[in-house]
Structures are given as structure tokens and as C-alpha cells.
Amino acid sequence: MAVSSSAPDPWFVALFESASEGLLACDPAGRVVACSLEAARLLHAEPGDVQGGRVVDWITQDACEHVTGAAAPAGLGLEPGDAFAREGGGLGRPLDLRLTAVDTPSGRHWLVHLRDATQRVKAEAHLAHMANYDSLTGLPNRLLFQDRLKQAMKRARRSGTPMALMFLDLDRFKLVNDSLGHEVGDRLLKHVATTLTACMRQVDSVVRLVDQEGFTLSRLGGDEFTLIAEAIECAEDAALIARRLLEALHSPFRSGDEEIVVSASIGIAMYPNDDVDLDGLVRHADMAMYRSKSLGRGTYSFFSDDLNAAAAARLSLESGLRRAIERQEFQLYFQPKADLHTGEITGVEALIRWHCPGQGMVPPDKFIAVLEETGMILPVGAWVIRAACSQLAEWDRMGLPPLRMAVNLSARQFRHQYLASMVADTLRENYINPRRLEIELTESLLMEDNETNRGMLENLSRMGVRLAIDDFGTGHSSLSYIKRFNIDTLKIDRSFVQSLPENNEDVAIATAVIALGRSMRMNVVAEGVETQAQADLLRQLGCDEMQGYLLGRPMAAPDLVAWLQARQRADAARRGAYGASIDPMPLVDLGEPAAAT
Ligand code: C2E
Ligand code: MG
Ligand code: MG
């Protein structure tokens, strides 16, 4: 070998050849004048092959991003940084490349130092994969999703071809995780990823002009997946894709003996139709997904401006309620119930009110559903039970006749395993006989036939707490449930009472419900009684009790006490005047207290 035309020093040759780093000596024109053994190995060649050729015929930096930026020496054509050996017309081994200038009388020569970069490049690729892909499903993660979405939005803007962003959230995934364990949950997520990926591969038969490259399926975390569908023709194509995805998910997933049928809710935002930035588009798809959830799950919805306004209002309601819990802005009102035959006040129903700063008194219809959906019903519902019981105890101490207290309970509260023990503790602390507490349940709760509900109802009933079915007739109660759960009271919904006595159909319904209640030995209460004619007919039909504006509106505790006392005084006066055997107390001889709702 030779490094110049004069004979080389043997020591120098030995040193050069045995260097652990690959070394190439190049002349000012970039020709290789000497090649060490290690350099030949890295280039997958013999030293003799490399010597004499141009260094750029053996090494390339074309595909490399990480070069130092220092200008490549003119004759050499390489610069320090990443490089690749050229091999068979393509890229060979990755290399780290350094340069040392060697000035000689015949000009500037170069010593090219080469090191094998295979391990480093592999490690970097692994790290990059970990940073960009979800380790469970192998799908792009949130980071890569955002990057892809940015690029896709740019392309859609430039080309004017619409793209769709879809948010897909599995329905009731938490239930699978909680009941079957995280391992099954993880397997289910993998199954979903595979199913969706396979479905996307077939989807081009459904949607015309779709470029397969134009789909990015990602997992953002938990059970949240997203799909970017580029270059679709119109919103209807997006709907088709969504339908396909939902259908594909229906294929059952097996875990041991269990067969789980997955469903999902999808929200779709179109771009550039929805004229927003990246965060806005993501928010729109998310809102649309929540709309699908509220429509009963297993479906897809598009984002629209109304949805935006509704979502903003909903968001502010939600944060208002969180504040209300912290600042204790809730209050209980109490609406009396009376025996239709004796006129005696039998009890009250506790009804929640929210004093919202700036909005005044907000009725429960406006916020109970949000409390339920967000889970805030648990602390609020527990507060209602405690406040109602302690109020009852206070009335006992004041010497009021022993009233019954009815409290409304949401289905969601039944999932709380401590509900029964919380009720028991509250009753004990307030020295209240459980028979004086009545829990009003909706028919939908009774229809949800699951272990939890069944167990909870049995616990409450065993404890002695009375159970009532609220708004009876609006849901789908089955008689077997009523029998099974020892229901004490049926409350006929206001909608069947309001057209009495004129509407024949409602008369027929009221007659039937009362007969049913009596035959099953239940107490029948008519809700929303507003006129004396309604009360008279209901009494005639054998209804036991009534509740409604005719008797009294829901009132704050001090107003209710004043109302009861006035009623007692009037009653005593009547007895004094006419003797003990008088007709039942007229229901509305006292005048209504100020409207409180
Ligand atoms: P509900 O349990 O069926 O309560 C009866 C509703 O009818 C009350 O409305 C009451 O003010 C109203 N009402 C009573 N008599 C009449 C009448 O003669 N005419 C008319 N037009 N309306 C009458 P409110 O207080 O707005 O409560 C609405 C619903 O909110 C309740 O219906 C109940 O389902 C729910 N709710 C109230 N408080 C609570 C609570 O603490 N927890 C839960 N989970 N739900 C509650
Ligand atoms: Mg009720
Ligand atoms: Mg009701």
C-alpha cells in the first residue's frame, strides 16, 4: 500500500492497517490512496478494491439528515456526520464519519475516520418508535397522530379535497376492565386495533377515490382511537367509513368462556368544512363523539355549530355544578303529600334546588342529568339523603307530627356499593325509623336488571326502608319486578293526572293503575294534582294519597313548618267548632303558600 509516491514507513503502514477505526487516506481530489482493514470491512470490500477509486463511490451522505453542516471539502465531497456505505447500488452499513485534514507539500489530503453506526441507528430507531407508537397496539400514538393530522390538514387546505377526522371511543370499556381485569382489557384493545386496521384495508371497496396511504389510525390512550381519512369525496364517504368501522367492531371478542361484543361511539369533524385549527378540529370530533354517546352509543355523529353551542353551554353547566358542590349552593325544598280520604299530611318529598349565583334558583330538571353523567350525583345524592334525614330529626325535636320523608335516587347512585350502609348510618345517627324513609326510584332503574341493582334493592328493603316507583307509567315497569322488590308505593305520573277528569283515556289509565296498586297492596300516590276535580275523582277511584300544587308547592323548610302549623291550627279550630266527627279536612282551605319552585 502507499500513502504517497515515496515508500511508506513500515511502522506507519502497520499502525494504519491495524487501527480499530476504519481509516481512508484521500488525496486533494478525493481519491482513496490508502484503505485500512477495518475501513474495507465496513465497506464490505477488499482494501485493494477501494484504493484508487473516488471516496464518494464508496460512501454516500445523500440520505442523511445529520451532517454537521460544515461545508464538504471541495475535492472530497463528504462532510463530518452520518453516512452510509454504498453497497450493490443501495445503502449499506450506517457509518459515523469524521475528517482530519493533513497538509502536505502536494496539497491538502484527508484522513476519513469511519465507525460502525449500526447499533446507534438501531437504538435511535427504537427510541423514535417508542416515542411515536403505542406499545400495546403498535398504532401511532398521540404525538405522531398530531404530526400526521397537521400534515393532512395542510394537504387538504392546499388541494381543497376534504378530509375527515374521526374520534372513536369504545362503549362501556371501563366495565370490561373493572369486571374482567386489565389483562382482558388490554387484549380487547389489541383486538380492536387489529379489527379497525383490517377494516381500513378493505374500505376502499366502499369509498371511491380513496388513497390507501391517506388513512392514519392512531390510539390516543385508554379506549380512544382516531382515524384521519384524507382525500375523501364528501361527508357521506366519511359516514360510510364510520358505518364500516362500527360493523367491523361487532365481530365478537372471546376471552375464556366470555364473549364480548364491542360497540363504539364515533364523532366526525370535516376539514376544511369545519374552519378551525388543529386543536379546534380535535375538539369538534371529540364533541361529536360525545353526541354519539348521548344518542345511545354504538353510532356516529358529525360535528355541527349547534353542537358547539350546546357543548359550550354544557361545559359551563358542568363547571358551575363543580363549584356548587364546593360552595354548598344546593338546598332541599319539601313538597307535602296528603291522605286523600282523611286529609292528613302523611309526609313530604325532598326536592333539590340549586342557588346558582347570577342565575337564581335552578330546577333539578336542568342539572340532574349532568350530575348523573359526570358522577357528581354521588356526593350530591349522599348530601340529599343526609340533609333530608337530619331535617326530619329536627322536625321531630320541634314536635311536628311524625312525617315520612321521600328522597329521589338516581340509577347511578345504585352502583355505589356503600349506598345501603350510608343510608343505614344516616338513619341511625338521626334516630329515624327506616319505615319513615321512602326512596323514589325511576322505572328505568328497575328495568336495569343486574346483580348490583337487585342486591341494593334487597338490602334497602331488608333494612325496612320503603321503596316507591316514581313517575309510574312513563317507563316500562314489569309487574314481576314490582312483586320481587317489595315495592311499597306507586306514584302515578303527572302526565296521566293533568287531563283528569275530562280525558277518558287518562281516566281509564288512572283507574287501571289504582286497581293494580291496590291489588298488589301498594300505596298509590297521584302526582301533580292541581284541581279539586282531579282530587275528587282520584279519591273516588280509590287512590290513597295525593301530591301537587292543589295541596302545596315544594317549600323551603321554615315555610313548610309555618304551612303545617297553620293547617294544624285551622284543623283544631274546625274540630272545636263542629265536634270531633267532621268531614275530611278540605285540601285547599288554607290558600297556597308563595310559589316556591
Ligand atoms: P319527581 O320526583 O317526579 O318530582 C315531582 C316534580 O313535579 C317536582 O319537580 C315538583 O315540583 C313537580 N310538581 C309537583 N306537583 C306539581 C303540580 O301540581 N304541577 C306541576 N306542574 N308540577 C308539580 P322538580 O322539583 O322540578 O323536580 C323534578 C325532578 O327532578 C323530580 O321529579 C325528580 O325526578 C328529580 N329530582 C328532584 N330532586 C332530586 C334529588 O334530590 N335527586 C334526584 N336524583 N333527583 C331529583
Ligand atoms: Mg320523586
Ligand atoms: Mg315523579
Side-chain angles (χ1 to χ4, degrees), residues 335 349 351-353 364-365 368 377 384 408-410 413 440 470-471 494 527-530 548-549 554 597:
Q335 188 178 29
E349 175 174 6
L351 294 159
I352 195 167
R353 299 290 179 266
D365 290 342
I368 290 283
I377 194 70
V384 168
N408 294 281
L409 234 69
S410 296
Q413 290 176 263
E440 296 195 3
D470 207 349
D471 309 333
R494 192 171 76 221
E527 290 186 312
V529 179
E530 293 185 355
Y549 294 172
T597 36

PDB file of all heavy atoms in Angstrom, residues 335 349 351-353 364-365 368 377 384 408-410 413 440 470-471 494 527-530 548-549 554 597, ligand 1:
ATOM      1  N   GLN A 335     -92.102  19.065  49.458  1.00  0.00           N
ATOM      2  CA  GLN A 335     -93.479  19.160  48.986  1.00  0.00           C
ATOM      3  C   GLN A 335     -94.340  18.158  49.759  1.00  0.00           C
ATOM      4  O   GLN A 335     -94.008  16.972  49.832  1.00  0.00           O
ATOM      5  CB  GLN A 335     -93.555  18.857  47.481  1.00  0.00           C
ATOM      6  CG  GLN A 335     -94.948  19.131  46.932  1.00  0.00           C
ATOM      7  CD  GLN A 335     -95.065  18.883  45.439  1.00  0.00           C
ATOM      8  OE1 GLN A 335     -94.346  18.039  44.886  1.00  0.00           O
ATOM      9  NE2 GLN A 335     -95.965  19.609  44.803  1.00  0.00           N
ATOM     10  N   GLU A 349     -91.898  15.132  50.145  1.00  0.00           N
ATOM     11  CA  GLU A 349     -90.860  14.670  49.224  1.00  0.00           C
ATOM     12  C   GLU A 349     -89.769  15.736  49.193  1.00  0.00           C
ATOM     13  O   GLU A 349     -90.068  16.925  49.022  1.00  0.00           O
ATOM     14  CB  GLU A 349     -91.421  14.466  47.805  1.00  0.00           C
ATOM     15  CG  GLU A 349     -90.314  14.097  46.801  1.00  0.00           C
ATOM     16  CD  GLU A 349     -90.830  13.749  45.407  1.00  0.00           C
ATOM     17  OE1 GLU A 349     -92.040  13.900  45.151  1.00  0.00           O
ATOM     18  OE2 GLU A 349     -89.991  13.349  44.566  1.00  0.00           O
ATOM     19  N   LEU A 351     -86.982  17.722  47.424  1.00  0.00           N
ATOM     20  CA  LEU A 351     -86.647  18.041  46.032  1.00  0.00           C
ATOM     21  C   LEU A 351     -85.501  19.040  46.024  1.00  0.00           C
ATOM     22  O   LEU A 351     -85.558  20.066  46.722  1.00  0.00           O
ATOM     23  CB  LEU A 351     -87.873  18.617  45.321  1.00  0.00           C
ATOM     24  CG  LEU A 351     -89.031  17.621  45.151  1.00  0.00           C
ATOM     25  CD1 LEU A 351     -90.349  18.324  44.931  1.00  0.00           C
ATOM     26  CD2 LEU A 351     -88.732  16.644  44.007  1.00  0.00           C
ATOM     27  N   ILE A 352     -84.484  18.730  45.258  1.00  0.00           N
ATOM     28  CA  ILE A 352     -83.275  19.558  45.310  1.00  0.00           C
ATOM     29  C   ILE A 352     -83.422  20.840  44.495  1.00  0.00           C
ATOM     30  O   ILE A 352     -84.113  20.865  43.469  1.00  0.00           O
ATOM     31  CB  ILE A 352     -82.051  18.732  44.840  1.00  0.00           C
ATOM     32  CG1 ILE A 352     -80.756  19.424  45.233  1.00  0.00           C
ATOM     33  CG2 ILE A 352     -82.117  18.475  43.350  1.00  0.00           C
ATOM     34  CD1 ILE A 352     -79.545  18.528  45.089  1.00  0.00           C
ATOM     35  N   ARG A 353     -82.797  21.897  44.975  1.00  0.00           N
ATOM     36  CA  ARG A 353     -82.729  23.173  44.262  1.00  0.00           C
ATOM     37  C   ARG A 353     -81.279  23.638  44.253  1.00  0.00           C
ATOM     38  O   ARG A 353     -80.523  23.338  45.169  1.00  0.00           O
ATOM     39  CB  ARG A 353     -83.574  24.245  44.972  1.00  0.00           C
ATOM     40  CG  ARG A 353     -85.057  23.915  45.066  1.00  0.00           C
ATOM     41  CD  ARG A 353     -85.698  23.987  43.699  1.00  0.00           C
ATOM     42  NE  ARG A 353     -87.113  23.650  43.707  1.00  0.00           N
ATOM     43  CZ  ARG A 353     -87.606  22.445  43.458  1.00  0.00           C
ATOM     44  NH1 ARG A 353     -86.797  21.435  43.239  1.00  0.00           N
ATOM     45  NH2 ARG A 353     -88.899  22.233  43.428  1.00  0.00           N
ATOM     46  N   PRO A 364     -84.211  21.109  39.260  1.00  0.00           N
ATOM     47  CA  PRO A 364     -83.402  19.890  39.063  1.00  0.00           C
ATOM     48  C   PRO A 364     -83.391  19.360  37.631  1.00  0.00           C
ATOM     49  O   PRO A 364     -82.414  18.753  37.208  1.00  0.00           O
ATOM     50  CB  PRO A 364     -84.026  18.875  40.012  1.00  0.00           C
ATOM     51  CG  PRO A 364     -85.327  19.436  40.426  1.00  0.00           C
ATOM     52  CD  PRO A 364     -85.256  20.901  40.279  1.00  0.00           C
ATOM     53  N   ASP A 365     -84.502  19.576  36.892  1.00  0.00           N
ATOM     54  CA  ASP A 365     -84.536  19.070  35.510  1.00  0.00           C
ATOM     55  C   ASP A 365     -83.377  19.599  34.684  1.00  0.00           C
ATOM     56  O   ASP A 365     -82.971  18.982  33.708  1.00  0.00           O
ATOM     57  CB  ASP A 365     -85.847  19.480  34.827  1.00  0.00           C
ATOM     58  CG  ASP A 365     -87.012  18.727  35.425  1.00  0.00           C
ATOM     59  OD1 ASP A 365     -86.749  17.706  36.076  1.00  0.00           O
ATOM     60  OD2 ASP A 365     -88.157  19.180  35.259  1.00  0.00           O
ATOM     61  N   ILE A 368     -79.850  17.594  36.959  1.00  0.00           N
ATOM     62  CA  ILE A 368     -79.695  16.215  37.484  1.00  0.00           C
ATOM     63  C   ILE A 368     -78.981  15.315  36.463  1.00  0.00           C
ATOM     64  O   ILE A 368     -78.078  14.551  36.804  1.00  0.00           O
ATOM     65  CB  ILE A 368     -81.070  15.603  37.853  1.00  0.00           C
ATOM     66  CG1 ILE A 368     -81.654  16.285  39.078  1.00  0.00           C
ATOM     67  CG2 ILE A 368     -80.954  14.101  38.097  1.00  0.00           C
ATOM     68  CD1 ILE A 368     -81.074  15.883  40.408  1.00  0.00           C
ATOM     69  N   ILE A 377     -73.380  13.059  40.905  1.00  0.00           N
ATOM     70  CA  ILE A 377     -74.604  12.694  41.634  1.00  0.00           C
ATOM     71  C   ILE A 377     -74.258  11.937  42.911  1.00  0.00           C
ATOM     72  O   ILE A 377     -75.034  11.960  43.862  1.00  0.00           O
ATOM     73  CB  ILE A 377     -75.558  11.855  40.745  1.00  0.00           C
ATOM     74  CG1 ILE A 377     -76.956  11.764  41.359  1.00  0.00           C
ATOM     75  CG2 ILE A 377     -75.002  10.464  40.503  1.00  0.00           C
ATOM     76  CD1 ILE A 377     -77.741  13.012  41.351  1.00  0.00           C
ATOM     77  N   VAL A 384     -78.093  14.798  49.792  1.00  0.00           N
ATOM     78  CA  VAL A 384     -79.556  14.885  49.835  1.00  0.00           C
ATOM     79  C   VAL A 384     -80.092  13.962  50.933  1.00  0.00           C
ATOM     80  O   VAL A 384     -80.917  14.365  51.759  1.00  0.00           O
ATOM     81  CB  VAL A 384     -80.176  14.519  48.462  1.00  0.00           C
ATOM     82  CG1 VAL A 384     -81.685  14.332  48.589  1.00  0.00           C
ATOM     83  CG2 VAL A 384     -79.862  15.581  47.420  1.00  0.00           C
ATOM     84  N   ASN A 408     -85.513  11.207  46.246  1.00  0.00           N
ATOM     85  CA  ASN A 408     -85.322  10.653  44.896  1.00  0.00           C
ATOM     86  C   ASN A 408     -83.899  10.127  44.748  1.00  0.00           C
ATOM     87  O   ASN A 408     -82.944  10.776  45.174  1.00  0.00           O
ATOM     88  CB  ASN A 408     -85.550  11.742  43.852  1.00  0.00           C
ATOM     89  CG  ASN A 408     -86.985  12.201  43.847  1.00  0.00           C
ATOM     90  OD1 ASN A 408     -87.850  11.539  43.285  1.00  0.00           O
ATOM     91  ND2 ASN A 408     -87.243  13.318  44.508  1.00  0.00           N
ATOM     92  N   LEU A 409     -83.771   8.969  44.118  1.00  0.00           N
ATOM     93  CA  LEU A 409     -82.443   8.396  43.912  1.00  0.00           C
ATOM     94  C   LEU A 409     -82.211   8.108  42.430  1.00  0.00           C
ATOM     95  O   LEU A 409     -83.107   7.600  41.765  1.00  0.00           O
ATOM     96  CB  LEU A 409     -82.346   7.088  44.700  1.00  0.00           C
ATOM     97  CG  LEU A 409     -81.165   7.011  45.644  1.00  0.00           C
ATOM     98  CD1 LEU A 409     -81.362   7.986  46.777  1.00  0.00           C
ATOM     99  CD2 LEU A 409     -81.038   5.611  46.204  1.00  0.00           C
ATOM    100  N   SER A 410     -81.030   8.438  41.953  1.00  0.00           N
ATOM    101  CA  SER A 410     -80.705   8.166  40.550  1.00  0.00           C
ATOM    102  C   SER A 410     -80.148   6.757  40.411  1.00  0.00           C
ATOM    103  O   SER A 410     -79.531   6.239  41.346  1.00  0.00           O
ATOM    104  CB  SER A 410     -79.615   9.116  40.068  1.00  0.00           C
ATOM    105  OG  SER A 410     -80.097  10.407  40.093  1.00  0.00           O
ATOM    106  N   GLN A 413     -76.586   6.161  41.465  1.00  0.00           N
ATOM    107  CA  GLN A 413     -76.253   6.018  42.877  1.00  0.00           C
ATOM    108  C   GLN A 413     -76.292   4.560  43.318  1.00  0.00           C
ATOM    109  O   GLN A 413     -75.654   4.188  44.292  1.00  0.00           O
ATOM    110  CB  GLN A 413     -77.227   6.845  43.730  1.00  0.00           C
ATOM    111  CG  GLN A 413     -77.009   8.331  43.571  1.00  0.00           C
ATOM    112  CD  GLN A 413     -78.036   9.127  44.343  1.00  0.00           C
ATOM    113  OE1 GLN A 413     -79.019   9.568  43.789  1.00  0.00           O
ATOM    114  NE2 GLN A 413     -77.809   9.295  45.638  1.00  0.00           N
ATOM    115  N   GLU A 440     -87.540   7.028  46.269  1.00  0.00           N
ATOM    116  CA  GLU A 440     -88.268   7.043  44.998  1.00  0.00           C
ATOM    117  C   GLU A 440     -87.322   6.654  43.866  1.00  0.00           C
ATOM    118  O   GLU A 440     -86.284   7.269  43.661  1.00  0.00           O
ATOM    119  CB  GLU A 440     -88.868   8.435  44.742  1.00  0.00           C
ATOM    120  CG  GLU A 440     -89.918   8.794  45.782  1.00  0.00           C
ATOM    121  CD  GLU A 440     -90.781   9.982  45.384  1.00  0.00           C
ATOM    122  OE1 GLU A 440     -90.624  10.517  44.258  1.00  0.00           O
ATOM    123  OE2 GLU A 440     -91.624  10.383  46.214  1.00  0.00           O
ATOM    124  N   ASP A 470     -91.398   6.009  41.069  1.00  0.00           N
ATOM    125  CA  ASP A 470     -91.746   7.382  40.703  1.00  0.00           C
ATOM    126  C   ASP A 470     -92.230   7.418  39.253  1.00  0.00           C
ATOM    127  O   ASP A 470     -91.867   6.544  38.459  1.00  0.00           O
ATOM    128  CB  ASP A 470     -90.465   8.231  40.835  1.00  0.00           C
ATOM    129  CG  ASP A 470     -90.783   9.685  41.119  1.00  0.00           C
ATOM    130  OD1 ASP A 470     -91.957  10.067  41.016  1.00  0.00           O
ATOM    131  OD2 ASP A 470     -89.827  10.427  41.434  1.00  0.00           O
ATOM    132  N   ASP A 471     -92.992   8.405  38.909  1.00  0.00           N
ATOM    133  CA  ASP A 471     -93.429   8.642  37.524  1.00  0.00           C
ATOM    134  C   ASP A 471     -93.956   7.353  36.886  1.00  0.00           C
ATOM    135  O   ASP A 471     -93.651   7.063  35.716  1.00  0.00           O
ATOM    136  CB  ASP A 471     -92.262   9.183  36.670  1.00  0.00           C
ATOM    137  CG  ASP A 471     -91.580  10.364  37.338  1.00  0.00           C
ATOM    138  OD1 ASP A 471     -92.246  11.063  38.114  1.00  0.00           O
ATOM    139  OD2 ASP A 471     -90.378  10.577  37.086  1.00  0.00           O
ATOM    140  N   ARG A 494     -97.551  12.564  36.663  1.00  0.00           N
ATOM    141  CA  ARG A 494     -98.367  13.765  36.488  1.00  0.00           C
ATOM    142  C   ARG A 494     -99.066  13.803  35.125  1.00  0.00           C
ATOM    143  O   ARG A 494    -100.174  14.303  34.990  1.00  0.00           O
ATOM    144  CB  ARG A 494     -97.446  14.980  36.631  1.00  0.00           C
ATOM    145  CG  ARG A 494     -98.171  16.269  36.755  1.00  0.00           C
ATOM    146  CD  ARG A 494     -97.218  17.381  37.103  1.00  0.00           C
ATOM    147  NE  ARG A 494     -96.424  17.796  35.953  1.00  0.00           N
ATOM    148  CZ  ARG A 494     -95.140  18.090  35.992  1.00  0.00           C
ATOM    149  NH1 ARG A 494     -94.482  17.993  37.121  1.00  0.00           N
ATOM    150  NH2 ARG A 494     -94.507  18.471  34.918  1.00  0.00           N
ATOM    151  N   GLU A 527     -99.426  12.077  41.488  1.00  0.00           N
ATOM    152  CA  GLU A 527     -98.527  13.241  41.434  1.00  0.00           C
ATOM    153  C   GLU A 527     -99.186  14.375  40.664  1.00  0.00           C
ATOM    154  O   GLU A 527    -100.022  14.124  39.790  1.00  0.00           O
ATOM    155  CB  GLU A 527     -97.279  12.882  40.635  1.00  0.00           C
ATOM    156  CG  GLU A 527     -96.326  11.922  41.278  1.00  0.00           C
ATOM    157  CD  GLU A 527     -95.058  11.774  40.437  1.00  0.00           C
ATOM    158  OE1 GLU A 527     -95.176  11.579  39.218  1.00  0.00           O
ATOM    159  OE2 GLU A 527     -93.974  11.883  41.011  1.00  0.00           O
ATOM    160  N   GLY A 528     -98.786  15.599  40.948  1.00  0.00           N
ATOM    161  CA  GLY A 528     -99.183  16.747  40.130  1.00  0.00           C
ATOM    162  C   GLY A 528    -100.678  17.025  40.132  1.00  0.00           C
ATOM    163  O   GLY A 528    -101.240  17.423  39.114  1.00  0.00           O
ATOM    164  N   VAL A 529    -101.324  16.825  41.303  1.00  0.00           N
ATOM    165  CA  VAL A 529    -102.761  17.138  41.392  1.00  0.00           C
ATOM    166  C   VAL A 529    -102.907  18.650  41.548  1.00  0.00           C
ATOM    167  O   VAL A 529    -102.383  19.237  42.494  1.00  0.00           O
ATOM    168  CB  VAL A 529    -103.405  16.395  42.584  1.00  0.00           C
ATOM    169  CG1 VAL A 529    -104.885  16.751  42.691  1.00  0.00           C
ATOM    170  CG2 VAL A 529    -103.199  14.900  42.438  1.00  0.00           C
ATOM    171  N   GLU A 530    -103.620  19.266  40.615  1.00  0.00           N
ATOM    172  CA  GLU A 530    -103.717  20.728  40.632  1.00  0.00           C
ATOM    173  C   GLU A 530    -105.141  21.228  40.882  1.00  0.00           C
ATOM    174  O   GLU A 530    -105.334  22.388  41.209  1.00  0.00           O
ATOM    175  CB  GLU A 530    -103.182  21.298  39.314  1.00  0.00           C
ATOM    176  CG  GLU A 530    -101.673  21.061  39.151  1.00  0.00           C
ATOM    177  CD  GLU A 530    -101.091  21.708  37.910  1.00  0.00           C
ATOM    178  OE1 GLU A 530    -101.861  22.260  37.108  1.00  0.00           O
ATOM    179  OE2 GLU A 530     -99.854  21.642  37.753  1.00  0.00           O
ATOM    180  N   GLY A 548     -99.285  17.636  45.028  1.00  0.00           N
ATOM    181  CA  GLY A 548     -99.465  18.561  43.905  1.00  0.00           C
ATOM    182  C   GLY A 548     -99.739  19.969  44.379  1.00  0.00           C
ATOM    183  O   GLY A 548     -99.896  20.215  45.586  1.00  0.00           O
ATOM    184  N   TYR A 549     -99.795  20.878  43.414  1.00  0.00           N
ATOM    185  CA  TYR A 549     -99.956  22.288  43.758  1.00  0.00           C
ATOM    186  C   TYR A 549    -101.273  22.559  44.488  1.00  0.00           C
ATOM    187  O   TYR A 549    -101.393  23.519  45.223  1.00  0.00           O
ATOM    188  CB  TYR A 549     -99.882  23.151  42.501  1.00  0.00           C
ATOM    189  CG  TYR A 549     -98.514  23.149  41.837  1.00  0.00           C
ATOM    190  CD1 TYR A 549     -98.328  23.750  40.593  1.00  0.00           C
ATOM    191  CD2 TYR A 549     -97.416  22.562  42.465  1.00  0.00           C
ATOM    192  CE1 TYR A 549     -97.087  23.759  39.983  1.00  0.00           C
ATOM    193  CE2 TYR A 549     -96.173  22.560  41.856  1.00  0.00           C
ATOM    194  CZ  TYR A 549     -96.012  23.156  40.610  1.00  0.00           C
ATOM    195  OH  TYR A 549     -94.789  23.165  40.013  1.00  0.00           O
ATOM    196  N   PRO A 554     -93.570  22.739  46.443  1.00  0.00           N
ATOM    197  CA  PRO A 554     -92.362  22.487  47.233  1.00  0.00           C
ATOM    198  C   PRO A 554     -91.963  23.779  47.964  1.00  0.00           C
ATOM    199  O   PRO A 554     -92.057  24.861  47.387  1.00  0.00           O
ATOM    200  CB  PRO A 554     -91.321  22.118  46.180  1.00  0.00           C
ATOM    201  CG  PRO A 554     -92.110  21.640  45.000  1.00  0.00           C
ATOM    202  CD  PRO A 554     -93.353  22.468  45.009  1.00  0.00           C
ATOM    203  N   THR A 597     -91.327  27.107  43.533  1.00  0.00           N
ATOM    204  CA  THR A 597     -90.484  26.437  42.536  1.00  0.00           C
ATOM    205  C   THR A 597     -89.891  27.447  41.593  1.00  0.00           C
ATOM    206  O   THR A 597     -90.433  28.509  41.402  1.00  0.00           O
ATOM    207  CB  THR A 597     -91.302  25.434  41.698  1.00  0.00           C
ATOM    208  OG1 THR A 597     -92.577  25.946  41.491  1.00  0.00           O
ATOM    209  CG2 THR A 597     -91.358  24.110  42.385  1.00  0.00           C
TER     210      THR A 597
HETATM  211  P1  C2E B   1     -90.304  13.987  40.707  1.00  0.00           P
HETATM  212  O1  C2E B   1     -89.574  13.178  41.705  1.00  0.00           O
HETATM  213  O2  C2E B   1     -91.367  13.311  39.926  1.00  0.00           O
HETATM  214  O3  C2E B   1     -90.863  15.238  41.490  1.00  0.00           O
HETATM  215  C1  C2E B   1     -92.053  15.869  41.216  1.00  0.00           C
HETATM  216  C2  C2E B   1     -91.852  17.072  40.371  1.00  0.00           C
HETATM  217  O4  C2E B   1     -93.117  17.574  39.977  1.00  0.00           O
HETATM  218  C3  C2E B   1     -91.194  18.214  41.139  1.00  0.00           C
HETATM  219  O5  C2E B   1     -90.448  18.960  40.190  1.00  0.00           O
HETATM  220  C4  C2E B   1     -92.370  19.023  41.587  1.00  0.00           C
HETATM  221  O6  C2E B   1     -92.058  20.387  41.814  1.00  0.00           O
HETATM  222  C5  C2E B   1     -93.286  18.891  40.410  1.00  0.00           C
HETATM  223  N1  C2E B   1     -94.681  19.055  40.820  1.00  0.00           N
HETATM  224  C6  C2E B   1     -95.246  18.650  41.969  1.00  0.00           C
HETATM  225  N2  C2E B   1     -96.565  18.943  41.969  1.00  0.00           N
HETATM  226  C7  C2E B   1     -96.850  19.539  40.801  1.00  0.00           C
HETATM  227  C8  C2E B   1     -98.059  20.059  40.219  1.00  0.00           C
HETATM  228  O7  C2E B   1     -99.116  20.046  40.779  1.00  0.00           O
HETATM  229  N3  C2E B   1     -97.942  20.583  38.964  1.00  0.00           N
HETATM  230  C9  C2E B   1     -96.783  20.627  38.316  1.00  0.00           C
HETATM  231  N4  C2E B   1     -96.768  21.154  37.097  1.00  0.00           N
HETATM  232  N5  C2E B   1     -95.630  20.142  38.832  1.00  0.00           N
HETATM  233  C10 C2E B   1     -95.659  19.612  40.067  1.00  0.00           C
HETATM  234  P2  C2E B   1     -88.981  19.359  40.479  1.00  0.00           P
HETATM  235  O8  C2E B   1     -88.791  19.730  41.910  1.00  0.00           O
HETATM  236  O9  C2E B   1     -88.598  20.345  39.437  1.00  0.00           O
HETATM  237  O10 C2E B   1     -88.202  18.017  40.270  1.00  0.00           O
HETATM  238  C11 C2E B   1     -88.137  17.424  39.023  1.00  0.00           C
HETATM  239  C12 C2E B   1     -87.495  16.077  39.098  1.00  0.00           C
HETATM  240  O11 C2E B   1     -86.115  16.167  39.451  1.00  0.00           O
HETATM  241  C13 C2E B   1     -88.095  15.176  40.159  1.00  0.00           C
HETATM  242  O12 C2E B   1     -89.270  14.615  39.658  1.00  0.00           O
HETATM  243  C14 C2E B   1     -87.021  14.175  40.371  1.00  0.00           C
HETATM  244  O13 C2E B   1     -87.066  13.175  39.383  1.00  0.00           O
HETATM  245  C15 C2E B   1     -85.778  14.998  40.137  1.00  0.00           C
HETATM  246  N6  C2E B   1     -85.179  15.330  41.447  1.00  0.00           N
HETATM  247  C16 C2E B   1     -85.521  16.303  42.313  1.00  0.00           C
HETATM  248  N7  C2E B   1     -84.740  16.256  43.411  1.00  0.00           N
HETATM  249  C17 C2E B   1     -83.893  15.217  43.234  1.00  0.00           C
HETATM  250  C18 C2E B   1     -82.830  14.638  44.014  1.00  0.00           C
HETATM  251  O14 C2E B   1     -82.530  15.056  45.143  1.00  0.00           O
HETATM  252  N8  C2E B   1     -82.166  13.565  43.495  1.00  0.00           N
HETATM  253  C19 C2E B   1     -82.502  13.052  42.279  1.00  0.00           C
HETATM  254  N9  C2E B   1     -81.806  12.011  41.810  1.00  0.00           N
HETATM  255  N10 C2E B   1     -83.492  13.566  41.515  1.00  0.00           N
HETATM  256  C20 C2E B   1     -84.180  14.634  41.986  1.00  0.00           C
END
